[in-house]
Amino acid sequence: MLWPLFFLMTAIHAELCQPDAENAFKVRLSIRTALGDKAYVWDTNEEYLFRAMVAFSMRKVPNRGATEISHVLLCNVTQRVSFWFVVTDPSKNHTLPAVEVQSAIRMNRNRINNAFSLNDHTLEFLKIPSTFAPPMEPSVPIWIIIFGVIFCIVIVAVTLLILSGIRQHRRNTKGPSGVDDTEDKCENTIAVENGIPCDPLDTKGGHINEVFLTEEERLTPL
Amino acid sequence: MEKARPQWGNPLQFVFACISYAVGLGNVWRFPYLCQMYGGGSFLVPYIIMLILEGMPLLYLELAVGQRMRQGSIGAWRTISPYLSGVGVASVVASFFLSMYYNVINAWSFWYLFHSFQDPLPWSVCPLNDNLTGYDEECEKASSTQYFWYRKTLNISPSIQESGGVQWEPALCLILAWLVVYLCILRGTESTGKVEQLANPKTWISAATQIFFSLGLGFGSLIAFASYNEPSNDCQKHAIVVSLINSSTSIFSSIVTFSIYGFKATFNYENCLSKVILLLTNSFDLEDGFLTASNLEPMKDYLASTYPSKYSEVFPHIRNCSLESELNTAVQGTGLAFIVYTEAIKNMEVSQLWSVLYFFMLLTLGIGSMLGNTAAILTPLTDSKVISRHLSREAISGLVCLISCGISMVFTMEAGNYWFDIFNDYAATLSLLLIVLVEIIAVCYVYGLRRFGSDLQAMTGHTLNWYWKAMWAGVSPLLIVSLFIFYLSDYILMGTLQYQAWDATQGKLVTKDYPSYALAVIWLLVASSTMCIPLVALGIFITHCLKKRGTAAVA
């Protein structure tokens, strides 16, 4: 007596959850890509957890009746791992509108990802776009700070050089004009005159010739 | 008594200045491209032959002229013959054009350098779109490095007609670049040197052209540098040293560039493969990790045979991944420096460090060459008594930098990169060939090769080797004439000139024709430096005739 009812229920379930059915979503997991050696096997227990997470997301929506795990139907599980799911209403005759399911899942995406140790790329809900975290923009872009530092250094260097150039020019014009030319030559041309650099020519004093010193000391006093 | 000419502190400063000028961005982004296009290692054969026949002789000629005449380009050629001062003027004009657009590259290098201090590097990730649901569309279609170059750096417009406004970010970097150049040239020679403390006729033509432009002949920079030498300086040895170092830098940078190409090609190939694997895994719901790079081909056949209808749906989206096609993408110019290299760098470990080092290198190369260019402009100006009487050296340098900076703001507009390409391709190519041709004919036949040889002997103490004489008198002029004829005929035969424009909707470059005013600018660029030579000669001839008539009338 109960058997026809059972068959009816499974038939309805089968109709409600089908690939490309109304309000159905395809989910794709890439467990091995995300976890490598630590990948777990996708079995009915994992499916149970998934249904629980979807039911959890639906329950978090305010002003909605409590969704049970049995209201979440999974079908067409493949090796990939991918499957389709729908969420039915308590009467189990209709599926909940896709928009509601979508917004519920988006709000709790993080929790669902964490339950499976996956992220937005490895646990994909096709047709439910994930919101990317907005990039962290500092109030002042970093490049302007570095630009400002280098700009200030260059400006300071240019100003210093110009000022020292003006000072040198003033010193040159104020000094006596006769000695000016030779001094000019020495200052502007770092090159040599007759192989002797100009600088040592005006060192103070002279050198003490060591030879004569030792000679005097060697002579024994009479 | 006249103020003595400033001189290099020691010959090494002069050599370093020349090397820093000659070794520029062309060594990094032009030579490896040519090597790749013309057969790799075998390109070295025509390159070295052209170096011996054309590069070294012309380099030595320019250095010798500068050292002998001890003046900038205008004064040097006026000394040889007053009718030839047009050559100097043409050199200065060409240098002016070059310095206008060349410093924009330094501005871009600064921009990238400042952006290298971020984690992650801004050109390694695409920005998000407005809803934060995906990546920006243009960035998806192109790649993140291309997007950063075309959108964030240049903010390029779809064609040269749509100029847009001046972008303030690259404009700031341009101002900084000019300030740095001004800082270096402010004090003149003493500071310039210390900045450094580089069976196919097309192959031969490219080798000759590359040597020619790589050494920076004809701009007057080498004459300017050499004019600050002591007369007894052995510039023959220096000419050989500079050209050899320039060529070895080119070869060294191609080794580096080719390894970067290989790295990038391998990376992209592996990326392409994983995309194909993901596509097939998702379409056929195969087990995750089932498809690998090794079993991809047999599995594709298996899937094609087992699910033919589904496979034919997916087939158009499957890209054919080939390592060869990745390796064959040869890029030159700004595309290589700012797109290909940044793409390779973003995939390396500690990418911020490599990025900073790389752009710092580009900056030093660029600024070194800029100093040579500005020296070519400033030396004739400071030599001229008219100008130097009224303005100090700092003021002249400042004015030149200011005017060039102002005009080069054009290149920071949205369409600026298209104008940059125009200047890069046409401002200094044909005119330089003509300038150097006239130079070599002037020295050999107007001044007299024997006279010049004895001058050099009096200066340096070495007799002129037969090799130099043969090259100057015969081989090099012939080579230049043939290059000149080839390029002229190439320009004439090409018909309408075209350019590559960035299409934001497709995310790639498309070819477009130049509008008429752009063509007018191109002809103006070429004409303004080439016409200087005959026009100035004509002007001096007329003034001489007028003077003769004047004195005849008085007498």
Side-chain angles (χ1 to χ4, degrees):
Chain A
M1 177 53 181
L2 287 168
W3 287 111
L5 204 63
F6 181 71
F7 283 131
L8 189 64
M9 296 306 291
T10 35
I12 293 173
H13 280 193
E15 271 175 28
L16 286 176
C17 176
Q18 264 185 32
D20 296 319
E22 198 190 342
N23 302 330
F25 292 95
K26 183 168 183 183
V27 181
R28 191 187 289 147
L29 288 92
S30 312
I31 308 172
R32 190 156 308 151
T33 314
L35 302 170
D37 292 331
K38 301 199 201 107
Y40 47 80
V41 179
W42 187 260
D43 53 14
T44 43
N45 298 328
E46 306 285 346
E47 284 178 30
Y48 191 85
L49 177 59
F50 183 81
R51 292 162 68 203
M53 291 307 294
V54 173
F56 162 75
S57 310
M58 295 309 297
R59 287 168 90 110
K60 283 217 120 177
V61 175
N63 304 331
R64 160 146 288 296
T67 315
E68 302 296 330
I69 293 183
S70 51
H71 296 161
V72 183
L73 309 173
L74 259 61
C75 50
N76 281 63
V77 184
T78 66
Q79 264 186 323
R80 172 66 183 80
V81 174
S82 68
F83 49 84
W84 290 81
F85 78 92
V86 288
V87 185
T88 60
D89 64 350
S91 68
K92 294 198 182 153
N93 286 334
H94 320 283
T95 52
L96 294 182
V99 184
E100 283 188 36
V101 180
Q102 194 178 52
S103 66
I105 302 250
R106 277 186 89 171
M107 302 258 234
N108 301 290
R109 189 62 189 269
N110 234 11
R111 302 289 297 271
I112 303 178
N113 286 350
N114 286 339
F116 293 97
S117 316
L118 298 171
N119 59 30
D120 280 353
H121 290 294
T122 39
L123 171 56
E124 294 169 77
F125 287 83
L126 304 183
K127 290 193 288 171
I128 302 184
S130 51
T131 318
F132 288 98
M136 255 190 14
E137 294 256 349
S139 52
V140 181
I142 299 179
W143 78 269
I144 289 197
I145 299 174
I146 305 176
F147 169 82
V149 168
I150 306 240
F151 193 77
C152 291
I153 294 176
V154 172
I155 292 270
V156 165
V158 168
T159 323
L160 282 175
L161 279 181
I162 292 182
L163 285 177
S164 72
I166 294 176
R167 219 175 292 142
Q168 210 176 46
H169 188 70
R170 249 186 239 144
R171 226 187 298 138
N172 285 352
T173 47
K174 274 196 192 142
S177 49
V179 196
D180 217 359
D181 292 6
T182 33
E183 269 182 5
D184 238 24
K185 251 193 178 160
C186 285
E187 267 181 20
N188 287 345
T189 67
I190 312 178
V192 298
E193 291 277 355
N194 290 336
I196 308 168
C198 287
D199 286 314
L201 287 178
D202 44 67
T203 42
K204 47 258 179 234
H207 276 286
I208 300 173
N209 197 334
E210 303 275 318
V211 180
F212 294 105
L213 263 176
T214 39
E215 277 287 330
E216 270 181 33
E217 277 182 4
R218 254 196 265 134
L219 288 173
T220 48
L222 286 169
Chain B
M1 193 173 143
E2 262 186 47
K3 202 165 184 228
R5 190 175 189 78
Q7 286 193 334
W8 299 105
N10 60 54
L12 214 58
Q13 276 183 5
F14 163 65
V15 177
F16 280 151
C18 286
I19 293 174
S20 145
Y21 165 67
V23 175
L25 295 165
N27 300 65
V28 171
W29 73 31
R30 176 91 179 138
F31 183 79
Y33 167 77
L34 290 175
C35 265
Q36 189 171 2
M37 294 298 286
Y38 295 114
S42 56
F43 181 72
L44 288 178
V45 172
Y47 182 77
I48 290 178
I49 292 179
M50 288 299 170
L51 178 69
I52 296 173
L53 293 181
E54 180 197 20
M56 282 197 232
L58 292 175
L59 183 67
Y60 182 36
L61 181 80
E62 290 219 350
L63 293 182
V65 165
Q67 192 168 305
R68 166 71 185 87
M69 306 301 165
R70 313 206 73 220
Q71 293 191 69
S73 54
I74 299 183
W77 297 110
R78 199 186 317 135
T79 315
I80 288 188
S81 159
Y83 293 105
L84 284 176
S85 34
V87 176
V89 176
S91 289
V92 173
V93 171
S95 289
F96 184 64
F97 288 150
L98 185 76
S99 62
M100 269 202 290
Y101 79 82
Y102 200 85
N103 221 12
V104 181
I105 307 173
N106 290 331
W108 292 330
S109 303
F110 269 121
W111 167 266
Y112 269 84
L113 180 68
F114 296 148
H115 278 87
S116 308
F117 291 96
Q118 292 173 22
D119 180 39
L121 289 173
W123 52 84
S124 57
V125 286
C126 273
L128 302 174
N129 62 16
D130 294 321
N131 319 7
L132 297 183
T133 52
Y135 295 115
D136 186 282
E137 207 184 306
E138 189 181 346
C139 194
E140 288 270 283
K141 296 220 174 84
S143 68
S144 53
T145 43
Q146 280 182 314
Y147 176 80
F148 188 76
W149 169 243
Y150 285 111
R151 190 52 49 214
K152 292 286 176 170
T153 312
L154 300 175
N155 197 15
I156 204 165
S157 60
S159 72
I160 199 171
Q161 281 98 326
E162 301 155 53
S163 316
V166 170
Q167 313 291 309
W168 64 270
E169 297 106 332
L172 277 182
C173 292
L174 185 64
I175 294 175
L176 178 65
W178 274 110
L179 275 175
V180 172
V181 169
Y182 181 54
L183 176 67
C184 295
I185 61 175
L186 190 51
R187 274 324 190 78
T189 320
E190 304 99 68
S191 47
T192 313
K194 287 186 186 111
V195 170
E196 205 337 281
Q197 297 265 157
L198 6 205
N200 184 351
K202 269 246 166 181
T203 317
W204 292 85
I205 289 169
S206 301
T209 316
Q210 174 60 15
I211 276 285
F212 194 89
F213 293 118
S214 174
L215 288 171
L217 304 166
F219 283 106
S221 310
L222 297 161
I223 297 182
F225 281 152
S227 69
Y228 297 117
N229 270 343
E230 272 192 52
S232 56
N233 182 46
D234 185 7
C235 55
Q236 176 184 280
K237 189 174 64 173
H238 293 151
I240 298 177
V241 163
V242 170
S243 42
L244 283 178
I245 290 183
N246 182 54
S247 299
S248 25
T249 316
S250 296
I251 295 173
F252 173 72
S253 70
S254 14
I255 297 175
V256 174
T257 305
F258 287 154
S259 28
I260 298 272
Y261 274 157
F263 172 79
K264 182 180 97 76
T266 315
F267 194 85
N268 285 351
Y269 173 66
E270 284 173 3
N271 238 17
C272 175
L273 276 182
S274 13
K275 282 208 183 109
V276 171
I277 288 175
L278 190 65
L279 177 67
L280 287 175
T281 314
N282 285 346
S283 317
F284 293 97
D285 283 322
L286 303 168
E287 193 184 327
D288 190 21
F290 179 61
L291 281 178
T292 60
S294 39
N295 69 5
L296 184 60
E297 284 308 312
M299 282 312 297
K300 269 162 71 174
D301 300 327
Y302 167 73
L303 288 168
S305 53
T306 332
Y307 309 100
S309 54
K310 209 173 193 181
Y311 191 79
S312 52
E313 276 176 33
V314 179
F315 187 68
H317 302 288
I318 299 180
R319 278 179 54 196
N320 242 342
C321 297
S322 148
L323 194 57
E324 271 76 37
S325 63
E326 294 286 339
L327 284 171
N328 280 343
T329 51
V331 194
Q332 59 161 333
T334 49
L336 172 65
F338 295 107
I339 299 180
V340 172
Y341 262 87
T342 48
E343 200 170 312
I345 287 173
K346 78 173 191 206
N347 297 322
M348 297 180 184
E349 303 295 314
V350 200
S351 40
Q352 279 81 8
L353 174 67
W354 301 118
S355 179
V356 168
L357 285 176
Y358 171 68
F359 288 110
F360 193 68
M361 176 202 80
L362 279 191
L363 267 176
T364 45
L365 287 177
I367 293 199
S369 303
M370 270 307 292
L371 298 181
N373 288 329
T374 42
I377 303 173
L378 286 176
T379 310
L381 288 178
T382 46
D383 285 345
S384 138
K385 298 187 193 60
V386 173
I387 299 177
S388 55
R389 209 180 306 149
H390 297 288
L391 294 168
S392 66
R393 199 209 156 81
E394 287 93 348
I396 299 177
S397 321
L399 261 165
V400 169
C401 285
L402 195 65
I403 295 175
S404 307
C405 186
I407 300 180
S408 49
M409 282 295 166
V410 171
F411 302 115
T412 57
M413 295 196 305
E414 287 182 21
N417 196 40
Y418 303 127
W419 292 106
F420 175 84
D421 284 332
I422 287 182
F423 270 72
N424 196 21
D425 291 333
Y426 302 108
T429 39
L430 215 59
S431 38
L432 276 186
L433 286 170
L434 188 65
I435 290 173
V436 177
L437 183 66
V438 175
E439 279 184 7
I440 203 170
I441 292 176
V443 169
C444 289
Y445 301 109
V446 174
Y447 191 78
L449 187 58
R450 212 165 294 170
R451 188 171 152 207
F452 194 63
S454 56
D455 278 348
L456 285 178
Q457 186 171 10
M459 266 199 325
T460 63
H462 302 292
T463 41
L464 206 56
N465 202 342
W466 64 266
Y467 159 70
W468 302 113
K469 286 194 200 149
M471 293 300 132
W472 286 351
V475 181
S476 305
L478 278 173
L479 267 173
I480 300 175
V481 168
S482 36
L483 272 181
F484 190 72
I485 294 176
F486 168 77
Y487 277 110
L488 210 55
S489 50
D490 206 36
Y491 281 145
I492 296 173
L493 286 173
M494 231 186 330
T496 38
L497 298 167
Q498 295 179 316
Y499 70 104
Q500 303 275 79
W502 175 254
D503 189 343
T505 50
Q506 289 181 49
K508 59 178 197 166
L509 290 166
V510 292
T511 321
K512 288 196 178 158
D513 287 330
Y514 276 126
S516 44
Y517 62 85
L519 289 173
V521 169
I522 294 176
W523 285 117
L524 199 68
L525 277 177
V526 179
S528 51
S529 38
T530 40
M531 285 301 132
C532 280
I533 305 177
L535 283 177
V536 170
L538 196 66
I540 298 206
F541 181 69
I542 292 176
T543 21
H544 267 217
C545 286
L546 287 174
K547 263 197 209 145
K548 265 198 213 147
R549 253 186 242 146
T551 48
V554 168

